[in-house]
Amino acid sequence: MTLFSRKRPRSSEAAHRVSQEPFTTDKPSKHHMLPTHYNNGRLVTKGIQAEGESGRSGFHPVHFGRVAWRSSCRASMFLNVLWPFVPAGIALFYTRRESTLLVFAINYIAMIPAANLLGYAGQELARKLPRVLGILLEITFGAVVEIVLFIVLIVKDHRDGHNVAVIKAAILGSILANLLLCLGCCFFLGGTKRHEQVFHEAVSEVGSNLLLVAGFALLIPSAFYSALRSSAFGPGDAVPTGEDGTPLEVFTLARLNHDILAISRGTAIVLIVAFILFIWYNTKSHDTIFDDVLAADEEKDVDRERDLAKAKFTLTECIIAIVVSLTLVSIIAVILVNEIHPMVEEYGIPDNFMGLILVPLVEKFAEHITAIDEAWDDQINFALFHCLGPSIQTALFNAPLVILVGWGLHNHFMDLNFEIFQIVLLVLSIMVVGNFLRDKKSNYLEGGLLVLVYVIVALSAWYYPNPTLTTSNSDSTGVESH
């Protein structure tokens, strides 16, 4: 068994074929939805897809622990050795509050196994659902960590705007981590075992086109601000007067910030509508296309017959795992958010590096392992779904959601006015990835180049000054006037 040997196949055809040997259905449904038995004699539960059937019901602690430990693949299983960091990190937060670096480092590591369990429980639940709906649900559970971090950051911002810089960087950093680091590792590791990998245009074109539109939408508020900032009058600027000494009407910085906030909130609503269209396109109007693509990918998994027979979570165990892991993720997220500002102040870690690199890496680590595992097994379309899907969700849903939450909290700093440096990185990255996807083929060279680009981005983010020193898209003080 290889390092990335899969334990999460989704082949309904393989399951159906297995179900016919040596058992047959007792009384086939008129809709022919599911077999009644597997070849090992386990009953199939009504309404549960054959790939996700555990043959059990309820909650069994020993079995639950064994399945959770084994996780989705061997690489993911190795992450479970980090579980001792979870209680240690929580305990340190309440007993060693003065040790900022230690508390942050331990809880940063603790987020990995907690997020890994959340992602695996989402995978297990997704296997019980129709294929395309299942993988979209799996991507959503993978994004829960990101949403929790964003919400905690915006709630604890105290309306002073300090956490907003980290949130904005993390929004773009999450997309960059998926497009450059994760996709690059998928292409590189998948390409080391074969000459090239071929993926379907239905996945690559829809994903790259949506990302290009999202990048354009996220660029507009920043471009709007940059175009008008130099001509806007600030509080200390002299306002020209008419011949009679009456002050003339001018375009003020306060009005510019008000307009940016209105544009950002309107754009957020539009992006959420686009996300709904994306979900409908994938699950309703064109679901058969994606279902066929993913089914063909499953045929490439040489371990699929053995994987179908492996132990799985019951529906109850899936829900318990999701609740437990989500609770732990939320607790650790609160701790990390509490330590971000001290880390920036005491240890000089730049806000851009914290948001663009450190936060996305920990929130996406487990999800990246899943995508790399799929590319390693030559299921490149699944891997693309797990690279492009989370990027699309971040751009079209997670980022707009935090804008709307900020609106509800009357936080006037939370808008889509990004640093020019950040938004240029995003748009250029989308264009580079789109160009690599154009020929519907990948190899280790393209993957290596994407990873190297990400390294350059990380290096640049480390040296980019904090907004309190200088900024391209706000006041010289780094705090916008609203």
PDB file of all heavy atoms in Angstrom, residues 7 64-86 109-110 112-118 120 313 365-366:
ATOM      1  N   LYS A   7      -8.737   5.384   0.550  1.00  0.00           N
ATOM      2  CA  LYS A   7      -9.726   4.674   1.350  1.00  0.00           C
ATOM      3  C   LYS A   7     -11.087   5.331   1.175  1.00  0.00           C
ATOM      4  O   LYS A   7     -11.948   5.157   1.991  1.00  0.00           O
ATOM      5  CB  LYS A   7      -9.331   4.695   2.825  1.00  0.00           C
ATOM      6  CG  LYS A   7      -8.075   3.907   3.108  1.00  0.00           C
ATOM      7  CD  LYS A   7      -7.846   3.831   4.586  1.00  0.00           C
ATOM      8  CE  LYS A   7      -6.709   2.886   4.890  1.00  0.00           C
ATOM      9  NZ  LYS A   7      -5.522   3.521   5.286  1.00  0.00           N
ATOM     10  N   PHE A  64     -15.849   3.302  15.955  1.00  0.00           N
ATOM     11  CA  PHE A  64     -15.736   4.711  15.579  1.00  0.00           C
ATOM     12  C   PHE A  64     -14.285   5.173  15.665  1.00  0.00           C
ATOM     13  O   PHE A  64     -13.757   5.820  14.763  1.00  0.00           O
ATOM     14  CB  PHE A  64     -16.618   5.553  16.495  1.00  0.00           C
ATOM     15  CG  PHE A  64     -16.479   7.035  16.305  1.00  0.00           C
ATOM     16  CD1 PHE A  64     -17.192   7.690  15.319  1.00  0.00           C
ATOM     17  CD2 PHE A  64     -15.636   7.779  17.122  1.00  0.00           C
ATOM     18  CE1 PHE A  64     -17.069   9.064  15.144  1.00  0.00           C
ATOM     19  CE2 PHE A  64     -15.495   9.146  16.956  1.00  0.00           C
ATOM     20  CZ  PHE A  64     -16.216   9.784  15.967  1.00  0.00           C
ATOM     21  N   GLY A  65     -13.615   4.849  16.777  1.00  0.00           N
ATOM     22  CA  GLY A  65     -12.221   5.239  16.943  1.00  0.00           C
ATOM     23  C   GLY A  65     -11.309   4.595  15.925  1.00  0.00           C
ATOM     24  O   GLY A  65     -10.385   5.232  15.398  1.00  0.00           O
ATOM     25  N   ARG A  66     -11.575   3.329  15.595  1.00  0.00           N
ATOM     26  CA  ARG A  66     -10.736   2.623  14.631  1.00  0.00           C
ATOM     27  C   ARG A  66     -10.867   3.228  13.240  1.00  0.00           C
ATOM     28  O   ARG A  66      -9.870   3.442  12.540  1.00  0.00           O
ATOM     29  CB  ARG A  66     -11.126   1.145  14.600  1.00  0.00           C
ATOM     30  CG  ARG A  66     -10.201   0.272  13.750  1.00  0.00           C
ATOM     31  CD  ARG A  66     -10.643  -1.172  13.726  1.00  0.00           C
ATOM     32  NE  ARG A  66     -10.698  -1.741  15.072  1.00  0.00           N
ATOM     33  CZ  ARG A  66     -11.804  -2.157  15.665  1.00  0.00           C
ATOM     34  NH1 ARG A  66     -12.968  -2.039  15.035  1.00  0.00           N
ATOM     35  NH2 ARG A  66     -11.768  -2.672  16.872  1.00  0.00           N
ATOM     36  N   VAL A  67     -12.097   3.513  12.818  1.00  0.00           N
ATOM     37  CA  VAL A  67     -12.328   4.102  11.494  1.00  0.00           C
ATOM     38  C   VAL A  67     -11.759   5.518  11.430  1.00  0.00           C
ATOM     39  O   VAL A  67     -11.125   5.903  10.443  1.00  0.00           O
ATOM     40  CB  VAL A  67     -13.834   4.108  11.155  1.00  0.00           C
ATOM     41  CG1 VAL A  67     -14.081   4.827   9.833  1.00  0.00           C
ATOM     42  CG2 VAL A  67     -14.367   2.682  11.087  1.00  0.00           C
ATOM     43  N   ALA A  68     -11.952   6.295  12.508  1.00  0.00           N
ATOM     44  CA  ALA A  68     -11.444   7.670  12.529  1.00  0.00           C
ATOM     45  C   ALA A  68      -9.923   7.682  12.465  1.00  0.00           C
ATOM     46  O   ALA A  68      -9.324   8.539  11.809  1.00  0.00           O
ATOM     47  CB  ALA A  68     -11.938   8.395  13.774  1.00  0.00           C
ATOM     48  N   TRP A  69      -9.281   6.747  13.151  1.00  0.00           N
ATOM     49  CA  TRP A  69      -7.817   6.694  13.151  1.00  0.00           C
ATOM     50  C   TRP A  69      -7.287   6.363  11.756  1.00  0.00           C
ATOM     51  O   TRP A  69      -6.304   6.934  11.304  1.00  0.00           O
ATOM     52  CB  TRP A  69      -7.332   5.674  14.167  1.00  0.00           C
ATOM     53  CG  TRP A  69      -5.856   5.438  14.109  1.00  0.00           C
ATOM     54  CD1 TRP A  69      -5.201   4.419  13.482  1.00  0.00           C
ATOM     55  CD2 TRP A  69      -4.842   6.285  14.674  1.00  0.00           C
ATOM     56  NE1 TRP A  69      -3.850   4.557  13.630  1.00  0.00           N
ATOM     57  CE2 TRP A  69      -3.593   5.690  14.355  1.00  0.00           C
ATOM     58  CE3 TRP A  69      -4.868   7.451  15.419  1.00  0.00           C
ATOM     59  CZ2 TRP A  69      -2.391   6.251  14.756  1.00  0.00           C
ATOM     60  CZ3 TRP A  69      -3.670   8.002  15.820  1.00  0.00           C
ATOM     61  CH2 TRP A  69      -2.440   7.411  15.493  1.00  0.00           C
ATOM     62  N   ARG A  70      -7.937   5.429  11.072  1.00  0.00           N
ATOM     63  CA  ARG A  70      -7.456   5.015   9.755  1.00  0.00           C
ATOM     64  C   ARG A  70      -7.620   6.125   8.729  1.00  0.00           C
ATOM     65  O   ARG A  70      -6.831   6.243   7.797  1.00  0.00           O
ATOM     66  CB  ARG A  70      -8.189   3.749   9.305  1.00  0.00           C
ATOM     67  CG  ARG A  70      -7.569   3.115   8.077  1.00  0.00           C
ATOM     68  CD  ARG A  70      -8.065   1.697   7.861  1.00  0.00           C
ATOM     69  NE  ARG A  70      -9.517   1.645   7.814  1.00  0.00           N
ATOM     70  CZ  ARG A  70     -10.245   0.977   8.694  1.00  0.00           C
ATOM     71  NH1 ARG A  70      -9.673   0.348   9.700  1.00  0.00           N
ATOM     72  NH2 ARG A  70     -11.559   0.946   8.599  1.00  0.00           N
ATOM     73  N   SER A  71      -8.660   6.950   8.868  1.00  0.00           N
ATOM     74  CA  SER A  71      -8.889   8.117   8.031  1.00  0.00           C
ATOM     75  C   SER A  71      -8.979   7.743   6.546  1.00  0.00           C
ATOM     76  O   SER A  71      -9.207   6.589   6.198  1.00  0.00           O
ATOM     77  CB  SER A  71      -7.808   9.176   8.275  1.00  0.00           C
ATOM     78  OG  SER A  71      -8.221  10.429   7.817  1.00  0.00           O
ATOM     79  N   SER A  72      -8.772   8.726   5.648  1.00  0.00           N
ATOM     80  CA  SER A  72      -9.031   8.510   4.222  1.00  0.00           C
ATOM     81  C   SER A  72      -7.866   7.874   3.479  1.00  0.00           C
ATOM     82  O   SER A  72      -8.055   7.207   2.476  1.00  0.00           O
ATOM     83  CB  SER A  72      -9.400   9.837   3.552  1.00  0.00           C
ATOM     84  OG  SER A  72      -8.356  10.772   3.719  1.00  0.00           O
ATOM     85  N   CYS A  73      -6.645   8.109   3.944  1.00  0.00           N
ATOM     86  CA  CYS A  73      -5.470   7.513   3.309  1.00  0.00           C
ATOM     87  C   CYS A  73      -4.352   7.468   4.341  1.00  0.00           C
ATOM     88  O   CYS A  73      -4.482   8.003   5.447  1.00  0.00           O
ATOM     89  CB  CYS A  73      -5.045   8.310   2.069  1.00  0.00           C
ATOM     90  SG  CYS A  73      -4.448   9.976   2.437  1.00  0.00           S
ATOM     91  N   ARG A  74      -3.266   6.818   4.007  1.00  0.00           N
ATOM     92  CA  ARG A  74      -2.188   6.656   4.973  1.00  0.00           C
ATOM     93  C   ARG A  74      -1.577   8.001   5.359  1.00  0.00           C
ATOM     94  O   ARG A  74      -1.242   8.228   6.524  1.00  0.00           O
ATOM     95  CB  ARG A  74      -1.122   5.720   4.407  1.00  0.00           C
ATOM     96  CG  ARG A  74       0.015   5.457   5.374  1.00  0.00           C
ATOM     97  CD  ARG A  74       0.808   4.232   5.015  1.00  0.00           C
ATOM     98  NE  ARG A  74      -0.004   3.031   5.080  1.00  0.00           N
ATOM     99  CZ  ARG A  74       0.502   1.803   4.925  1.00  0.00           C
ATOM    100  NH1 ARG A  74       1.782   1.641   4.687  1.00  0.00           N
ATOM    101  NH2 ARG A  74      -0.292   0.758   4.993  1.00  0.00           N
ATOM    102  N   ALA A  75      -1.414   8.901   4.404  1.00  0.00           N
ATOM    103  CA  ALA A  75      -0.866  10.219   4.728  1.00  0.00           C
ATOM    104  C   ALA A  75      -1.780  10.957   5.687  1.00  0.00           C
ATOM    105  O   ALA A  75      -1.323  11.625   6.622  1.00  0.00           O
ATOM    106  CB  ALA A  75      -0.664  11.031   3.459  1.00  0.00           C
ATOM    107  N   SER A  76      -3.100  10.848   5.461  1.00  0.00           N
ATOM    108  CA  SER A  76      -4.054  11.484   6.360  1.00  0.00           C
ATOM    109  C   SER A  76      -4.037  10.814   7.730  1.00  0.00           C
ATOM    110  O   SER A  76      -4.194  11.485   8.760  1.00  0.00           O
ATOM    111  CB  SER A  76      -5.460  11.415   5.755  1.00  0.00           C
ATOM    112  OG  SER A  76      -6.401  12.075   6.562  1.00  0.00           O
ATOM    113  N   MET A  77      -3.835   9.500   7.762  1.00  0.00           N
ATOM    114  CA  MET A  77      -3.770   8.782   9.033  1.00  0.00           C
ATOM    115  C   MET A  77      -2.586   9.253   9.867  1.00  0.00           C
ATOM    116  O   MET A  77      -2.673   9.341  11.095  1.00  0.00           O
ATOM    117  CB  MET A  77      -3.662   7.279   8.774  1.00  0.00           C
ATOM    118  CG  MET A  77      -3.660   6.425  10.032  1.00  0.00           C
ATOM    119  SD  MET A  77      -3.563   4.653   9.672  1.00  0.00           S
ATOM    120  CE  MET A  77      -1.892   4.559   9.001  1.00  0.00           C
ATOM    121  N   PHE A  78      -1.470   9.574   9.218  1.00  0.00           N
ATOM    122  CA  PHE A  78      -0.303  10.053   9.950  1.00  0.00           C
ATOM    123  C   PHE A  78      -0.595  11.349  10.708  1.00  0.00           C
ATOM    124  O   PHE A  78       0.030  11.635  11.734  1.00  0.00           O
ATOM    125  CB  PHE A  78       0.877  10.272   8.991  1.00  0.00           C
ATOM    126  CG  PHE A  78       1.471   8.992   8.478  1.00  0.00           C
ATOM    127  CD1 PHE A  78       2.206   8.980   7.307  1.00  0.00           C
ATOM    128  CD2 PHE A  78       1.298   7.797   9.161  1.00  0.00           C
ATOM    129  CE1 PHE A  78       2.754   7.796   6.827  1.00  0.00           C
ATOM    130  CE2 PHE A  78       1.838   6.605   8.693  1.00  0.00           C
ATOM    131  CZ  PHE A  78       2.572   6.605   7.523  1.00  0.00           C
ATOM    132  N   LEU A  79      -1.544  12.150  10.183  1.00  0.00           N
ATOM    133  CA  LEU A  79      -1.886  13.408  10.855  1.00  0.00           C
ATOM    134  C   LEU A  79      -2.538  13.166  12.212  1.00  0.00           C
ATOM    135  O   LEU A  79      -2.526  14.047  13.073  1.00  0.00           O
ATOM    136  CB  LEU A  79      -2.821  14.239   9.975  1.00  0.00           C
ATOM    137  CG  LEU A  79      -2.283  14.662   8.605  1.00  0.00           C
ATOM    138  CD1 LEU A  79      -3.332  15.486   7.870  1.00  0.00           C
ATOM    139  CD2 LEU A  79      -0.992  15.452   8.745  1.00  0.00           C
ATOM    140  N   ASN A  80      -3.107  11.971  12.417  1.00  0.00           N
ATOM    141  CA  ASN A  80      -3.777  11.676  13.677  1.00  0.00           C
ATOM    142  C   ASN A  80      -2.810  11.552  14.847  1.00  0.00           C
ATOM    143  O   ASN A  80      -3.249  11.574  15.999  1.00  0.00           O
ATOM    144  CB  ASN A  80      -4.614  10.401  13.547  1.00  0.00           C
ATOM    145  CG  ASN A  80      -5.855  10.626  12.690  1.00  0.00           C
ATOM    146  OD1 ASN A  80      -6.451  11.696  12.708  1.00  0.00           O
ATOM    147  ND2 ASN A  80      -6.241   9.619  11.927  1.00  0.00           N
ATOM    148  N   VAL A  81      -1.521  11.393  14.570  1.00  0.00           N
ATOM    149  CA  VAL A  81      -0.552  11.354  15.672  1.00  0.00           C
ATOM    150  C   VAL A  81      -0.432  12.727  16.337  1.00  0.00           C
ATOM    151  O   VAL A  81       0.157  12.850  17.417  1.00  0.00           O
ATOM    152  CB  VAL A  81       0.837  10.880  15.175  1.00  0.00           C
ATOM    153  CG1 VAL A  81       0.747   9.517  14.526  1.00  0.00           C
ATOM    154  CG2 VAL A  81       1.451  11.889  14.211  1.00  0.00           C
ATOM    155  N   LEU A  82      -1.000  13.751  15.701  1.00  0.00           N
ATOM    156  CA  LEU A  82      -0.952  15.106  16.267  1.00  0.00           C
ATOM    157  C   LEU A  82      -2.080  15.389  17.250  1.00  0.00           C
ATOM    158  O   LEU A  82      -2.150  16.493  17.805  1.00  0.00           O
ATOM    159  CB  LEU A  82      -1.007  16.146  15.132  1.00  0.00           C
ATOM    160  CG  LEU A  82       0.111  16.072  14.082  1.00  0.00           C
ATOM    161  CD1 LEU A  82      -0.130  17.101  12.980  1.00  0.00           C
ATOM    162  CD2 LEU A  82       1.469  16.299  14.729  1.00  0.00           C
ATOM    163  N   TRP A  83      -2.959  14.416  17.494  1.00  0.00           N
ATOM    164  CA  TRP A  83      -4.096  14.649  18.385  1.00  0.00           C
ATOM    165  C   TRP A  83      -3.688  15.088  19.798  1.00  0.00           C
ATOM    166  O   TRP A  83      -4.417  15.865  20.434  1.00  0.00           O
ATOM    167  CB  TRP A  83      -4.995  13.413  18.451  1.00  0.00           C
ATOM    168  CG  TRP A  83      -6.056  13.418  17.401  1.00  0.00           C
ATOM    169  CD1 TRP A  83      -6.101  12.672  16.268  1.00  0.00           C
ATOM    170  CD2 TRP A  83      -7.230  14.243  17.374  1.00  0.00           C
ATOM    171  NE1 TRP A  83      -7.223  12.975  15.521  1.00  0.00           N
ATOM    172  CE2 TRP A  83      -7.937  13.926  16.184  1.00  0.00           C
ATOM    173  CE3 TRP A  83      -7.746  15.214  18.231  1.00  0.00           C
ATOM    174  CZ2 TRP A  83      -9.124  14.556  15.845  1.00  0.00           C
ATOM    175  CZ3 TRP A  83      -8.948  15.833  17.891  1.00  0.00           C
ATOM    176  CH2 TRP A  83      -9.619  15.494  16.714  1.00  0.00           C
ATOM    177  N   PRO A  84      -2.561  14.618  20.365  1.00  0.00           N
ATOM    178  CA  PRO A  84      -2.177  15.114  21.702  1.00  0.00           C
ATOM    179  C   PRO A  84      -1.991  16.628  21.767  1.00  0.00           C
ATOM    180  O   PRO A  84      -2.092  17.220  22.857  1.00  0.00           O
ATOM    181  CB  PRO A  84      -0.860  14.383  21.971  1.00  0.00           C
ATOM    182  CG  PRO A  84      -0.969  13.109  21.188  1.00  0.00           C
ATOM    183  CD  PRO A  84      -1.704  13.497  19.944  1.00  0.00           C
ATOM    184  N   PHE A  85      -1.737  17.269  20.614  1.00  0.00           N
ATOM    185  CA  PHE A  85      -1.574  18.716  20.614  1.00  0.00           C
ATOM    186  C   PHE A  85      -2.896  19.442  20.895  1.00  0.00           C
ATOM    187  O   PHE A  85      -2.880  20.602  21.314  1.00  0.00           O
ATOM    188  CB  PHE A  85      -1.010  19.190  19.273  1.00  0.00           C
ATOM    189  CG  PHE A  85       0.451  18.909  19.086  1.00  0.00           C
ATOM    190  CD1 PHE A  85       0.878  17.709  18.543  1.00  0.00           C
ATOM    191  CD2 PHE A  85       1.406  19.833  19.474  1.00  0.00           C
ATOM    192  CE1 PHE A  85       2.226  17.441  18.368  1.00  0.00           C
ATOM    193  CE2 PHE A  85       2.757  19.580  19.316  1.00  0.00           C
ATOM    194  CZ  PHE A  85       3.169  18.377  18.761  1.00  0.00           C
ATOM    195  N   VAL A  86      -4.021  18.768  20.652  1.00  0.00           N
ATOM    196  CA  VAL A  86      -5.322  19.430  20.833  1.00  0.00           C
ATOM    197  C   VAL A  86      -5.581  19.754  22.307  1.00  0.00           C
ATOM    198  O   VAL A  86      -5.785  20.930  22.654  1.00  0.00           O
ATOM    199  CB  VAL A  86      -6.454  18.574  20.222  1.00  0.00           C
ATOM    200  CG1 VAL A  86      -7.814  19.207  20.522  1.00  0.00           C
ATOM    201  CG2 VAL A  86      -6.259  18.416  18.718  1.00  0.00           C
ATOM    202  N   ILE A 109      -0.650  23.714  15.342  1.00  0.00           N
ATOM    203  CA  ILE A 109      -0.511  22.293  15.006  1.00  0.00           C
ATOM    204  C   ILE A 109      -1.795  21.535  15.353  1.00  0.00           C
ATOM    205  O   ILE A 109      -2.216  20.627  14.625  1.00  0.00           O
ATOM    206  CB  ILE A 109       0.693  21.689  15.749  1.00  0.00           C
ATOM    207  CG1 ILE A 109       1.986  22.377  15.306  1.00  0.00           C
ATOM    208  CG2 ILE A 109       0.793  20.188  15.499  1.00  0.00           C
ATOM    209  CD1 ILE A 109       3.208  21.967  16.094  1.00  0.00           C
ATOM    210  N   ALA A 110      -2.431  21.907  16.473  1.00  0.00           N
ATOM    211  CA  ALA A 110      -3.643  21.214  16.911  1.00  0.00           C
ATOM    212  C   ALA A 110      -4.784  21.362  15.917  1.00  0.00           C
ATOM    213  O   ALA A 110      -5.662  20.483  15.828  1.00  0.00           O
ATOM    214  CB  ALA A 110      -4.073  21.754  18.278  1.00  0.00           C
ATOM    215  N   ILE A 112      -4.646  21.012  12.789  1.00  0.00           N
ATOM    216  CA  ILE A 112      -4.497  20.058  11.690  1.00  0.00           C
ATOM    217  C   ILE A 112      -5.286  18.770  11.923  1.00  0.00           C
ATOM    218  O   ILE A 112      -6.098  18.376  11.070  1.00  0.00           O
ATOM    219  CB  ILE A 112      -3.002  19.774  11.433  1.00  0.00           C
ATOM    220  CG1 ILE A 112      -2.304  21.044  10.948  1.00  0.00           C
ATOM    221  CG2 ILE A 112      -2.835  18.653  10.404  1.00  0.00           C
ATOM    222  CD1 ILE A 112      -0.799  20.901  10.784  1.00  0.00           C
ATOM    223  N   PRO A 113      -5.113  18.046  13.062  1.00  0.00           N
ATOM    224  CA  PRO A 113      -5.907  16.827  13.240  1.00  0.00           C
ATOM    225  C   PRO A 113      -7.395  17.092  13.397  1.00  0.00           C
ATOM    226  O   PRO A 113      -8.224  16.290  12.943  1.00  0.00           O
ATOM    227  CB  PRO A 113      -5.309  16.199  14.503  1.00  0.00           C
ATOM    228  CG  PRO A 113      -4.669  17.325  15.233  1.00  0.00           C
ATOM    229  CD  PRO A 113      -4.157  18.246  14.164  1.00  0.00           C
ATOM    230  N   ALA A 114      -7.756  18.213  14.030  1.00  0.00           N
ATOM    231  CA  ALA A 114      -9.175  18.534  14.190  1.00  0.00           C
ATOM    232  C   ALA A 114      -9.821  18.785  12.824  1.00  0.00           C
ATOM    233  O   ALA A 114     -10.919  18.290  12.539  1.00  0.00           O
ATOM    234  CB  ALA A 114      -9.341  19.750  15.097  1.00  0.00           C
ATOM    235  N   ALA A 115      -9.134  19.548  11.977  1.00  0.00           N
ATOM    236  CA  ALA A 115      -9.646  19.805  10.623  1.00  0.00           C
ATOM    237  C   ALA A 115      -9.642  18.531   9.793  1.00  0.00           C
ATOM    238  O   ALA A 115     -10.520  18.322   8.945  1.00  0.00           O
ATOM    239  CB  ALA A 115      -8.807  20.884   9.945  1.00  0.00           C
ATOM    240  N   ASN A 116      -8.661  17.663  10.028  1.00  0.00           N
ATOM    241  CA  ASN A 116      -8.591  16.395   9.307  1.00  0.00           C
ATOM    242  C   ASN A 116      -9.798  15.519   9.619  1.00  0.00           C
ATOM    243  O   ASN A 116     -10.385  14.901   8.724  1.00  0.00           O
ATOM    244  CB  ASN A 116      -7.297  15.670   9.680  1.00  0.00           C
ATOM    245  CG  ASN A 116      -7.085  14.408   8.872  1.00  0.00           C
ATOM    246  OD1 ASN A 116      -7.169  14.423   7.650  1.00  0.00           O
ATOM    247  ND2 ASN A 116      -6.807  13.310   9.558  1.00  0.00           N
ATOM    248  N   LEU A 117     -10.191  15.449  10.891  1.00  0.00           N
ATOM    249  CA  LEU A 117     -11.372  14.674  11.270  1.00  0.00           C
ATOM    250  C   LEU A 117     -12.633  15.270  10.670  1.00  0.00           C
ATOM    251  O   LEU A 117     -13.505  14.536  10.189  1.00  0.00           O
ATOM    252  CB  LEU A 117     -11.495  14.606  12.793  1.00  0.00           C
ATOM    253  CG  LEU A 117     -12.738  13.880  13.329  1.00  0.00           C
ATOM    254  CD1 LEU A 117     -12.782  12.434  12.846  1.00  0.00           C
ATOM    255  CD2 LEU A 117     -12.782  13.938  14.855  1.00  0.00           C
ATOM    256  N   LEU A 118     -12.734  16.601  10.676  1.00  0.00           N
ATOM    257  CA  LEU A 118     -13.902  17.249  10.086  1.00  0.00           C
ATOM    258  C   LEU A 118     -13.991  16.939   8.599  1.00  0.00           C
ATOM    259  O   LEU A 118     -15.068  16.609   8.081  1.00  0.00           O
ATOM    260  CB  LEU A 118     -13.821  18.761  10.304  1.00  0.00           C
ATOM    261  CG  LEU A 118     -14.972  19.600   9.733  1.00  0.00           C
ATOM    262  CD1 LEU A 118     -16.291  19.193  10.355  1.00  0.00           C
ATOM    263  CD2 LEU A 118     -14.711  21.084   9.969  1.00  0.00           C
ATOM    264  N   TYR A 120     -12.647  14.331   7.025  1.00  0.00           N
ATOM    265  CA  TYR A 120     -12.916  12.908   6.811  1.00  0.00           C
ATOM    266  C   TYR A 120     -14.376  12.569   7.101  1.00  0.00           C
ATOM    267  O   TYR A 120     -15.003  11.786   6.369  1.00  0.00           O
ATOM    268  CB  TYR A 120     -11.994  12.063   7.689  1.00  0.00           C
ATOM    269  CG  TYR A 120     -12.238  10.584   7.557  1.00  0.00           C
ATOM    270  CD1 TYR A 120     -12.118   9.947   6.318  1.00  0.00           C
ATOM    271  CD2 TYR A 120     -12.606   9.811   8.651  1.00  0.00           C
ATOM    272  CE1 TYR A 120     -12.349   8.590   6.185  1.00  0.00           C
ATOM    273  CE2 TYR A 120     -12.835   8.456   8.535  1.00  0.00           C
ATOM    274  CZ  TYR A 120     -12.702   7.846   7.300  1.00  0.00           C
ATOM    275  OH  TYR A 120     -12.937   6.505   7.169  1.00  0.00           O
ATOM    276  N   PHE A 313     -17.977   4.826   8.626  1.00  0.00           N
ATOM    277  CA  PHE A 313     -18.836   5.420   9.641  1.00  0.00           C
ATOM    278  C   PHE A 313     -20.298   5.132   9.323  1.00  0.00           C
ATOM    279  O   PHE A 313     -20.702   5.091   8.155  1.00  0.00           O
ATOM    280  CB  PHE A 313     -18.661   6.943   9.690  1.00  0.00           C
ATOM    281  CG  PHE A 313     -17.455   7.405  10.457  1.00  0.00           C
ATOM    282  CD1 PHE A 313     -16.838   8.602  10.133  1.00  0.00           C
ATOM    283  CD2 PHE A 313     -16.960   6.679  11.523  1.00  0.00           C
ATOM    284  CE1 PHE A 313     -15.732   9.050  10.843  1.00  0.00           C
ATOM    285  CE2 PHE A 313     -15.861   7.119  12.240  1.00  0.00           C
ATOM    286  CZ  PHE A 313     -15.239   8.302  11.891  1.00  0.00           C
ATOM    287  N   PHE A 365      -4.843  22.402   5.230  1.00  0.00           N
ATOM    288  CA  PHE A 365      -3.862  21.321   5.213  1.00  0.00           C
ATOM    289  C   PHE A 365      -4.512  19.965   4.951  1.00  0.00           C
ATOM    290  O   PHE A 365      -4.076  19.211   4.075  1.00  0.00           O
ATOM    291  CB  PHE A 365      -3.092  21.299   6.538  1.00  0.00           C
ATOM    292  CG  PHE A 365      -1.863  20.458   6.502  1.00  0.00           C
ATOM    293  CD1 PHE A 365      -0.644  21.002   6.130  1.00  0.00           C
ATOM    294  CD2 PHE A 365      -1.908  19.104   6.842  1.00  0.00           C
ATOM    295  CE1 PHE A 365       0.501  20.226   6.091  1.00  0.00           C
ATOM    296  CE2 PHE A 365      -0.776  18.320   6.803  1.00  0.00           C
ATOM    297  CZ  PHE A 365       0.430  18.884   6.434  1.00  0.00           C
ATOM    298  N   ALA A 366      -5.536  19.625   5.722  1.00  0.00           N
ATOM    299  CA  ALA A 366      -6.182  18.321   5.573  1.00  0.00           C
ATOM    300  C   ALA A 366      -6.844  18.184   4.198  1.00  0.00           C
ATOM    301  O   ALA A 366      -6.804  17.116   3.575  1.00  0.00           O
ATOM    302  CB  ALA A 366      -7.218  18.126   6.679  1.00  0.00           C
TER     303      ALA A 366
END
